């Protein structure tokens, strides 16, 4: 019998966190990563950025499928990092028991990795402002309202969710992600919703949280990168998880050749295999909680990747 749901907490969220997710479409979960984990992941992302920048000419900047989706002096957006096995902190993030457990809970069962990416950014030299001098944002959503969600036990479950974790502290000036709370329920035209939110800025919330806090949200929620006005660098790492209705062996990329490498697949530990590779068609494996159920507070250890250790040595 498969072990995947037993190696992760269920339910991963407290009733209050689960209720917040339902009402607002997102929840900030503090202390998901320790300071030490943040440091390891941040230094692996910085190393990947440095290694990519060292490749010349720039159009060849690909390492283990990871590449720059944005390569500008103030913003490096690293795409397709989910099989960058030379940077183990990244693999530890995308397969982290608590993070996957949260994604499974709000998806209503088994999930797999659809995308993995990261942003390393600083204050932008220019930013689009509205007539009153307030920032405009690139609000978007990856899941249409009502097309990718269902209710069970009165709780919303989404087929595509993201867990975005800040590896640096985010104060109010540090460009935390902005969201339009509750927009995951409103199918009234994204432009009209965003215009309404610009009219009354209290409809927009910005993530302000210490390093190691995770923002779990349904992709039906309108969200965007916030504006940095401090001198601090922001480093965030993101995994998008989808239910098994989404295609397998594919992770987001603007490059058409992107596929998970066979050698990488062979190195995946058994209990993490389902996160990367299909073992059958659909196999939804639902799992639902009641709102009153208390969170599973046990700490689940990360699964080691012995085969990768071997590859790294050879
Ligand atoms: O940069 C951010 O804070 C938001 C990232 C984002 O918009 C996304 O993952 O779709």
């Amino acid at each position: 019998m498969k072990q995947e749901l037993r190696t992760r907490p269920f339910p991963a969220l407290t009733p209050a966190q689960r209720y917040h997710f339902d009402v607002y479409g997102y929840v900030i979960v503090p202390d998901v990563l320790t300071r030490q984990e943040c440091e390891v992941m941040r230094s692996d992302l910085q190393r990947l950025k440095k290694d990519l920048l060292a490749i010349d000419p720039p159009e060849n900047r690909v390492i283990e499928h990871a590449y720059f989706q944005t390569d500008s002096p103030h913003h490096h957006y690293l795409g397709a990092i989910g099989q960058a096995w030379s940077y183990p902190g990244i693999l530890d993030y995308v397969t982290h028991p608590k993070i996957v457990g949260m994604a499974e809970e709000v998806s209503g069962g088994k999930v797999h990795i659809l995308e993995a990416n990261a942003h390393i950014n600083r204050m932008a030299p220019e930013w689009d402002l509205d007539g009153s001098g307030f920032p405009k944002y690139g609000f978007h959503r990856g899941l249409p309202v009502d097309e990718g969600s269902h209710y069970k036990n009165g709780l919303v479950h989404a087929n595509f969710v993201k867990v975005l974790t800040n590896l640096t502290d985010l104060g109010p000036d540090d460009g935390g992600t902005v969201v339009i709370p509750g927009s995951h329920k409103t199918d009234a035209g994204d432009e009209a919703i965003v215009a309404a939110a610009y009219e009354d800025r209290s409809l927009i919330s910005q993530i302000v949280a210490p390093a190691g806090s995770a923002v779990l949200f349904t992709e039906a929620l309108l969200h965007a990168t916030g504006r940095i006005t401090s001198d601090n660098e922001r480093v965030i790492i993101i995994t998008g998880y989808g239910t098994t209705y989404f295609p397998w062996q594919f992770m987001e990329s603007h490059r058409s050749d992107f596929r998970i490498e066979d050698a990488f697949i062979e190195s995946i530990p058994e209990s993490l295999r389902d996160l990367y590779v299909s073992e059958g068609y659909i196999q939804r494996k639902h799992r639902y909680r009641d709102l009153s159920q208390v969170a599973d507070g046990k700490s689940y250890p990360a699964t080691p990747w012995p085969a990768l250790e071997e590859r790294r040595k050879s």
Side-chain angles (χ1 to χ4, degrees):
M1 195 182 194
K2 285 264 156 276
Q3 295 291 303
E4 82 265 66
L5 290 177
R6 300 214 189 121
T7 55
R8 297 165 198 139
F10 183 85
L13 300 175
T14 65
Q17 289 167 341
R18 188 57 170 95
Y19 184 69
H20 195 287
F21 178 88
D22 260 64
V23 174
Y24 300 113
Y26 77 102
V27 61
I28 304 173
V29 183
D31 299 324
V32 167
L33 301 180
T34 63
R35 287 265 157 188
Q36 200 193 349
E37 284 174 316
C38 287
E39 210 30 63
V40 170
M41 291 170 194
R42 195 156 67 97
S43 95
D44 271 355
L45 287 172
Q46 295 286 14
R47 191 161 54 86
L48 174 57
K49 172 183 149 181
K50 194 164 145 256
D51 293 349
L52 282 169
L53 285 172
I55 298 171
D56 203 32
E59 51 275 21
N60 291 347
R61 286 177 178 164
V62 180
I63 297 175
E64 294 156 3
H65 292 276
Y67 70 108
F68 289 134
Q69 279 186 239
T70 303
D71 177 4
S72 71
H74 69 279
H75 188 186
H76 286 95
Y77 178 10
L78 298 149
I81 60 176
Q83 57 177 320
W85 60 273
S86 301
Y87 309 84
I90 296 175
L91 300 191
D92 283 344
Y93 179 77
V94 300
T95 60
H96 192 287
K98 171 87 179 176
I99 287 168
V100 178
M102 295 193 302
E104 284 172 337
E105 177 183 330
V106 297
S107 303
K110 181 171 158 176
V111 294
H112 67 115
I113 298 165
L114 298 184
E115 61 171 88
N117 46 62
H119 294 261
I120 302 176
N121 62 322
R122 289 187 169 276
M123 192 195 303
E126 284 169 1
W127 197 278
D128 201 12
L129 303 176
D130 71 9
S132 311
F134 288 107
K136 287 185 153 188
Y137 305 106
F139 280 113
H140 58 280
R141 53 174 137 215
L143 194 63
V145 178
D146 287 342
E147 276 185 40
S149 310
H150 67 281
Y151 281 84
K152 200 74 182 178
N153 299 338
L155 299 172
V156 72
H157 298 86
N159 283 346
F160 180 17
V161 301
K162 271 194 187 155
V163 189
L164 179 160
T165 301
N166 50 300
L167 303 177
T168 48
D169 291 324
L170 290 178
D173 302 326
D174 296 331
T177 307
V178 286
V179 298
I180 304 182
S183 56
H184 65 304
K185 296 179 205 160
T186 312
D187 191 11
D190 295 0
E191 254 184 60
I193 297 170
V194 172
Y198 287 160
E199 200 180 308
D200 175 357
R201 292 272 167 170
S202 73
L203 294 169
I204 301 174
S205 294
Q206 178 166 16
I207 308 307
V208 173
S213 309
V215 186
L216 168 67
F217 62 98
T218 152
E219 263 291 337
L221 182 78
L222 285 165
H223 61 280
T225 303
R227 181 190 184 204
I228 301 179
T229 53
S230 70
D231 289 332
N232 299 329
E233 182 174 70
R234 183 185 76 135
V235 183
I236 62 166
I237 184 163
I238 306 169
T239 315
Y241 300 94
T243 60
T244 49
Y245 299 126
F246 282 90
W248 291 82
Q249 293 211 33
F250 163 84
M251 285 193 285
E252 150 277 346
S253 172
H254 295 299
R255 286 166 198 265
S256 56
D257 66 348
F258 186 73
R259 283 288 179 275
I260 303 180
E261 298 286 349
D262 288 344
F264 179 77
I265 289 174
E266 278 160 28
S267 71
I268 303 171
E270 191 50 35
S271 67
L272 299 178
R273 243 186 115 73
D274 278 8
L275 288 174
Y276 284 97
V277 210
S278 168
E279 278 163 14
Y281 180 60
I282 294 195
Q283 295 191 5
R284 190 59 188 86
K285 291 196 183 155
H286 284 120
R287 193 171 195 190
Y288 297 108
R289 68 171 293 168
D290 287 320
L291 183 58
S292 59
Q293 232 172 313
V294 294
D296 175 355
K298 280 203 288 288
S299 168
Y300 290 80
T303 305
W305 294 58
L308 265 193
E309 289 311 315
E310 282 311 303
R311 275 181 76 196
R312 281 189 196 106
K313 274 186 224 144
S314 60

